[in-house]
Amino acid sequence: MWRNSRGTGYLLRANLKQNLKFSLIWIVILVMMIASGATKMVALFGGPKTDLADMKHMLTMPGMAGVFGAIPKGVPLNSATVFAGIMMVFMVILDAIYIIPLMVKDTRGQEESGLLEMVRARTVGRTAAVMAAVWELLITSVVLFVLYSGSLMAINLQGADLNGNILFGLVLALANVFFGAVALLLAQLASTAQGAEMWSYVILTATYLIRLVTDIQNQKLTWLSPIGWAQKTNAYTDNNYWPVLMLAVVALVLAGGAVVIARTRDLGTGILPERAGRARAAGWLRSVPALLLRTERGLLAGWLISAVLMGAILGSVLGGAGDVLKSNPLYRKLLDVSQINAASLQMTLAYMAMFVLVFVCLAVVAGAQLVGKLKSDEEKGYLGIVHAEKPTRTTISLSYYFLGLIFSAIIYVVAIVCLYYSGNTTVSEPLPSKYLVRMLVAGLPAVLAFVSLAAAIIGVIPRISGLFWVYMGAGLIVEMFGPILNLGRNAGKFSPFGWLNQAPVHALENGWLWTMLVIVVVGVVAGVVGYRERDVA
Amino acid sequence: MSTNVIELNHVQKNFGRTQALKNVTFNVPTGEVVGFLGPNGAGKSTTIRILLGMLKRNGGEATVFGQDPWHNDLQIHPRIAYVPGDVYLWPNLTGGEIVDLLLRLNGQNHTAKTDELMKVFEFDPKKKARAYSKGNRQKVALIAALSQDAELYIFDEPTSGLDPLNELTFQQEVLKLKEAGKTVLLSSHILSEVEKMCDAIVIIREGEIIEQGNLDQMRHLSRLRVQVETDAAITGLDKQSGVYDLKFTNHDQTAATFAVDHDVLGQVMAALTPLGIKDFQSTPPTLEDLFLHYYSDKGATQHVAQ
């Protein structure tokens, strides 16, 4: 055992150094999210009573519980409990998005790049890479725990106590460990780094969806999802430590599995066997776009399935959103049937507007990921040979950009159509099709504007492609949480998310439509010109 | 009609502050096989990437088929077959799929020649690219390039991952191209590989062309490395002109290694024979010997100039 992990310390130091920038940026973002969320909560509860009433009202809705996480009945609403209710699921997901690529990179990624082969030829044990990753996981988790709990103690929410602050930080740190362990195990099972990452995200999405549905339908069943465990700690009320232990035990089993597999597995192979492929290319494989479709087909299929599932599941929540009003006796007394129907339609539309943001985001991530392949395929050297062939840099870059644009549009349309039709099966009055059209007309240009912006960055200055995600993330957070965080109505207007004008609640303003279409054209042209004018590898 | 397929004139290339190419000037005439020699990092791949329009030069002129490679890649590329130094392939495609794709991208097809090449290189086209070794990845690029009907073939250190048998196959294929009157630019850091196939060689070092010309002329200039053992102590060699780097390897001074110019080899042999030669090994000049020669020459001419 110890012989197998010889060299762990050395690898750990190398990894920590290598990933320092990545981890620092993420940890700062994560702690900022906690700190700003908590500060906003203080402002909210100290602010006008109407805001607070709106907030409390919102928290009781099934859609809200679905997206952010349910606050159990009977819990007193104060800054601390509302903070925990809104932030827990969100932070667990952010933790996972940070740690999954890091863990895959440390293990399978190093194996794929050939680094590990060089290292392992030295007196470095078979499991050293996995053990080093485990240690890095523990170190980052401890840092996160200290910073999370520390910043909560510093802000001192109303209704918070030391026990709750520690539990909140602890369970988030453990969630980090849990998803890190999931990624480590999948990195041993899958045969590529991309596969390992993809499967980790599939599991993350599945755990989110399970807790989404169960939070709405039956909160006891939320125990089925590891993200649900984090919610079940009920920090600041029950302060239940059992879920922390559950996360720790399961993470230990997963990481242990990863170590066991690493000890017996051949370097560079997955557990899942490789089939013999075809000796000759299919007849249609004769152009750069065809090549991209062939190499990325797994990715494309994965995104399409997610779009269908998310559309259908979020749609199934819509019925509940509108029904809240109908089942509320106070509203029934105050309003007549048509007024109730109108109000519940508004309520449903407000939810759809939030889901539009989610789907724009989904489609943009898919499209920008494809556009980003132009950079990563080049860095991996795949394009070296192709550059010497007939397809010019214009053809090559346009193939990536158009595939990204077209595919993101398909993802968005599929998700929205699934949302609309699955929503219609649950609401009492079918939604007029003009709302479907509104969602499509407003969302598509936003999706395309984002993806073409990614194309411009990849084409002109690929070095700063990370900034695209920062811009998009900031745009989404401000638009989605703006109302909760008391930001102005126009705060989100710095990104296409803000230009959607809360479709389908309002129709899109013509000016923004044109702005977005101009951005699409300019972005793609800039991307092509930039790619033509710079050196390629 | 003898024209140049490739013409490079004072080409320069900077990467940030480092100057990768300082002054690259040479031509590749139609129908010739030209060896492009230099140590790792000398600028061979950078020069080739400029010829393929992948890098933008910072100065000088470059033409391929009389056209600017940066602007006219569409016209130039279909006439070129290229094998990069490091071949990286899409991991989830098979070798066979990639060969077909590379041919088709240039408007060509899988032919009997392709199958023949797969056979002589002992290549299994059914494996996924991620399972291939470096040599096998190189074979993918080689098979695609050699089965393409091109006018100019550019090979960037094509045999660095091949075993000796496959290396020989590659040399035979290049000789076939030579017979067919194709133009070939072959980069390498191994002189012996180049001299078997090339009509002329061009030597690059630290971004500058330091030597070019007919291989015979250059070998005439270069030195052999000799290891010799005799019955009697070796004397007088240190005074012989054209002998360099003389070192005795035993106390009796009956064994020695030295480098010798081709034109004094006869005199050296005449001096050694009376001593009773027990063992005599000579190795062909390595690239390093050529460099040594170049620099000592340069030193000598500078000395004369003073």
Side-chain angles (χ1 to χ4, degrees):
Chain A
M1 175 78 204
W2 292 116
R3 216 157 57 102
N4 275 327
S5 59
R6 186 171 47 202
T8 300
Y10 168 75
L11 283 184
L12 175 64
R13 273 191 304 267
N15 287 348
L16 284 175
K17 201 171 154 188
Q18 179 87 6
N19 302 328
L20 186 65
K21 213 164 97 185
F22 178 83
S23 284
L24 269 185
I25 291 175
W26 260 105
I27 289 173
V28 167
I29 291 175
L30 289 171
V31 175
M32 293 269 284
M33 295 303 301
I34 289 280
S36 75
T39 331
K40 291 293 166 357
M41 220 46 76
V42 172
L44 183 69
F45 277 80
K49 283 280 182 288
T50 48
D51 287 359
L52 194 56
D54 283 350
M55 179 81 186
K56 285 181 176 169
H57 175 65
M58 222 160 90
L59 287 174
T60 58
M61 299 193 193
M64 193 74 189
V67 176
F68 294 103
I71 297 179
K73 290 190 179 66
V75 168
L77 292 185
N78 55 39
S79 315
T81 54
V82 172
F83 169 79
I86 292 179
M87 296 296 284
M88 184 63 86
V89 173
F90 180 64
M91 286 310 298
V92 169
I93 291 171
L94 282 186
D95 268 354
I97 293 176
Y98 155 56
I99 204 71
I100 286 172
L102 189 69
M103 289 296 108
V104 172
K105 193 175 133 208
D106 277 354
T107 52
R108 177 58 72 167
Q110 289 189 357
E111 204 168 313
E112 217 163 81
S113 68
L115 185 68
L116 209 53
E117 190 171 333
M118 230 160 59
V119 170
R120 274 269 296 275
R122 306 270 164 171
T123 48
V124 166
R126 223 178 283 281
T127 57
V130 180
M131 289 305 291
V134 168
W135 280 111
E136 186 173 356
L137 177 62
L138 292 177
I139 290 171
T140 54
S141 301
V142 168
V143 170
L144 281 176
F145 164 65
V146 170
L147 291 175
Y148 283 156
S149 293
S151 50
L152 285 175
M153 285 174 206
I155 292 164
N156 196 17
L157 289 165
Q158 176 230 329
D161 53 5
L162 184 67
N163 198 356
N165 285 337
I166 287 177
L167 179 58
F168 191 89
L170 190 63
V171 74
L172 282 184
L174 257 301
N176 198 54
V177 173
F178 174 83
F179 282 103
V182 167
L184 282 177
L185 181 63
L186 287 170
Q188 297 302 318
L189 289 175
S191 50
T192 60
Q194 193 183 340
E197 255 182 61
M198 198 187 78
W199 283 111
S200 304
Y201 287 126
V202 166
I203 289 186
L204 174 65
T205 312
T207 52
Y208 177 77
L209 290 178
I210 289 170
R211 67 133 289 280
L212 182 151
V213 173
T214 53
D215 263 352
I216 294 166
Q217 307 291 350
N218 182 353
Q219 289 179 19
K220 277 189 192 121
L221 292 178
T222 306
W223 282 103
L224 288 174
S225 160
I227 300 182
W229 301 350
Q231 296 171 266
K232 295 296 183 191
T233 51
N234 290 334
Y236 303 115
T237 46
D238 297 348
N239 287 330
N240 182 0
Y241 276 84
W242 281 109
V244 176
L245 191 67
M246 282 171 69
L247 282 170
V249 169
V250 177
L252 191 70
V253 170
L254 294 174
V259 171
V260 168
I261 294 174
R263 200 158 49 191
T264 52
R265 188 176 60 97
D266 289 344
L267 197 64
T269 60
I271 288 296
L272 315 160
E274 287 283 325
R275 288 168 292 137
R278 47 194 308 158
R280 299 284 306 270
W284 53 270
L285 186 61
R286 49 178 67 245
S287 65
V288 180
L291 169 66
L292 292 181
L293 283 178
R294 170 68 184 78
T295 52
E296 306 303 341
R297 63 184 178 188
L299 192 72
L300 300 183
W303 280 113
L304 262 181
I305 293 168
S306 323
V308 170
L309 282 180
M310 280 190 75
I313 289 172
L314 291 181
S316 69
V317 174
L318 281 177
D323 292 342
V324 172
L325 294 181
K326 288 178 192 162
S327 54
N328 185 322
L330 181 68
Y331 283 101
R332 290 180 81 106
K333 265 186 227 161
L334 291 173
L335 306 170
D336 63 33
V337 176
S338 65
Q339 280 173 317
I340 285 188
N341 279 345
S344 69
L345 174 66
Q346 282 308 309
M347 189 70 77
T348 309
L349 291 181
Y351 276 99
M352 289 175 100
M354 190 154 72
F355 297 154
V356 163
L357 292 181
V358 173
F359 290 145
V360 167
C361 202
L362 182 80
V364 170
V365 172
Q369 191 185 22
L370 283 172
V371 169
K373 290 275 172 187
L374 177 61
K375 182 189 176 206
S376 60
D377 284 357
E378 198 176 304
E379 282 171 350
K380 287 176 184 160
Y382 301 159
L383 292 179
I385 295 188
V386 178
H387 275 308
E389 303 245 333
K390 197 173 171 186
T392 58
R393 272 165 297 170
T394 309
T395 314
I396 293 170
S397 57
L398 273 181
S399 301
Y400 281 87
Y401 302 160
F402 275 134
L403 185 70
L405 288 168
I406 293 169
F407 191 67
S408 62
I410 292 174
I411 289 284
Y412 181 74
V413 172
V414 165
I416 290 292
V417 167
C418 286
L419 173 77
Y420 177 78
Y421 285 103
S422 125
N424 263 352
T425 59
T426 60
V427 293
S428 37
E429 298 244 330
L431 297 157
S433 60
K434 75 169 179 185
Y435 295 119
L436 174 65
V437 174
R438 267 189 198 174
M439 287 192 287
L440 294 178
V441 169
L444 270 180
V447 168
L448 298 180
F450 265 123
V451 175
S452 67
L453 185 69
I457 293 176
I458 292 287
V460 181
I461 349 175
R463 240 172 342 116
I464 61 161
S465 57
L467 281 183
F468 173 78
W469 301 111
V470 174
Y471 171 68
M472 195 189 99
L476 179 70
I477 286 165
V478 170
E479 186 60 24
M480 211 165 189
F481 295 90
I484 300 176
L485 305 183
N486 263 345
L487 296 173
R489 178 147 154 53
N490 288 326
K493 289 271 193 258
F494 70 92
S495 89
F497 286 119
W499 310 338
L500 289 168
N501 203 19
Q502 295 184 310
V505 182
H506 313 288
L508 186 69
E509 295 155 33
N510 252 332
W512 289 122
L513 183 64
W514 288 111
T515 308
M516 285 192 263
L517 291 178
V518 168
I519 290 177
V520 174
V521 175
V522 171
V524 171
V525 170
V528 171
V529 171
Y531 195 68
R532 262 219 79 92
E533 288 306 310
R534 72 176 162 88
D535 289 345
V536 292
Chain B
M1 194 183 84
S2 99
T3 48
N4 291 325
V5 172
I6 295 173
E7 290 185 9
L8 292 164
N9 195 4
H10 297 294
V11 169
Q12 294 175 1
K13 176 67 193 173
N14 306 328
F15 292 115
R17 264 185 224 157
T18 49
Q19 199 174 16
L21 300 184
K22 291 170 191 153
N23 176 12
V24 173
T25 305
F26 71 90
N27 297 332
V28 177
T30 309
E32 277 204 24
V33 179
V34 173
F36 190 29
L37 275 170
N40 294 326
K44 298 190 296 289
S45 297
T46 305
T47 308
I48 287 173
R49 288 199 174 124
I50 286 177
L51 291 173
L52 291 168
M54 291 161 71
L55 301 178
K56 197 175 191 173
R57 60 188 184 277
N58 296 105
E61 288 142 47
T63 60
V64 178
F65 299 118
Q67 301 188 70
D68 184 328
W70 179 256
H71 292 293
N72 301 323
D73 44 355
L74 183 63
Q75 289 80 21
I76 294 171
H77 286 181
R79 303 167 71 182
I80 299 182
Y82 165 61
V83 176
D86 293 308
V87 182
Y88 298 102
L89 304 168
W90 287 272
N92 54 354
L93 292 186
T94 64
E97 281 180 292
I98 296 172
V99 168
D100 284 5
L101 173 81
L102 290 174
L103 283 168
R104 288 171 186 172
L105 285 180
N106 263 358
Q108 305 215 351
N109 273 308
H110 189 112
T111 57
K113 170 84 179 159
T114 317
D115 290 327
E116 188 197 313
L117 284 164
M118 285 188 181
K119 217 161 137 193
V120 293
F121 278 108
E122 295 172 321
F123 176 73
D124 174 9
K126 284 185 183 170
K127 274 200 198 165
K128 291 278 169 76
R130 80 166 61 85
Y132 286 133
S133 64
K134 179 173 163 49
N136 274 323
R137 292 201 304 269
Q138 234 159 4
K139 286 183 195 173
V140 171
L142 276 172
I143 291 166
L146 289 170
S147 66
Q148 187 186 333
D149 183 22
E151 293 164 60
L152 169 64
Y153 294 78
I154 298 180
F155 302 107
D156 191 357
E157 306 208 358
T159 58
S160 50
L162 297 185
D163 61 43
L165 222 59
N166 283 313
E167 213 178 309
L168 203 67
T169 309
F170 170 71
Q171 286 167 7
Q172 285 161 355
E173 290 299 326
V174 172
L175 291 176
K176 280 187 206 166
L177 293 177
K178 193 173 172 176
E179 282 162 24
K182 308 286 191 183
T183 311
V184 178
L185 179 65
L186 173 69
S187 104
S188 177
H189 63 275
I190 307 157
L191 184 62
S192 59
E193 175 179 276
V194 168
E195 66 187 3
K196 286 177 197 144
M197 294 173 269
C198 297
D199 302 308
I201 60 171
V202 174
I203 300 180
I204 185 169
R205 193 173 194 270
E206 289 172 1
E208 274 182 286
I209 302 297
I210 56 172
E211 194 77 80
Q212 56 180 311
N214 182 300
L215 192 65
D216 284 337
Q217 294 166 0
M218 290 179 63
R219 209 169 3 192
H220 177 70
L221 292 172
S222 67
R223 294 167 191 148
L224 283 173
R225 183 148 287 277
V226 173
Q227 193 180 338
V228 71
E229 202 179 336
T230 53
D231 290 325
I234 301 166
T235 51
L237 267 190
D238 46 342
K239 292 184 192 82
Q240 169 75 46
S241 68
V243 171
Y244 306 88
D245 212 12
L246 178 67
K247 281 194 194 93
F248 292 103
T249 47
N250 64 2
H251 188 69
D252 300 337
Q253 302 203 338
T254 57
T257 65
F258 57 90
V260 58
D261 281 341
H262 272 262
D263 42 11
V264 298
L265 190 58
Q267 294 169 39
V268 171
M269 289 304 285
L272 288 174
T273 313
L275 303 175
I277 300 175
K278 273 163 68 184
D279 187 22
F280 185 94
Q281 289 176 38
S282 77
T283 36
T286 62
L287 197 55
E288 290 68 35
D289 293 328
L290 281 182
F291 288 144
L292 278 178
H293 182 82
Y294 170 75
Y295 283 109
S296 62
D297 260 11
K298 196 170 143 190
T301 45
Q302 275 170 354
H303 192 71
V304 171
Q306 285 165 2

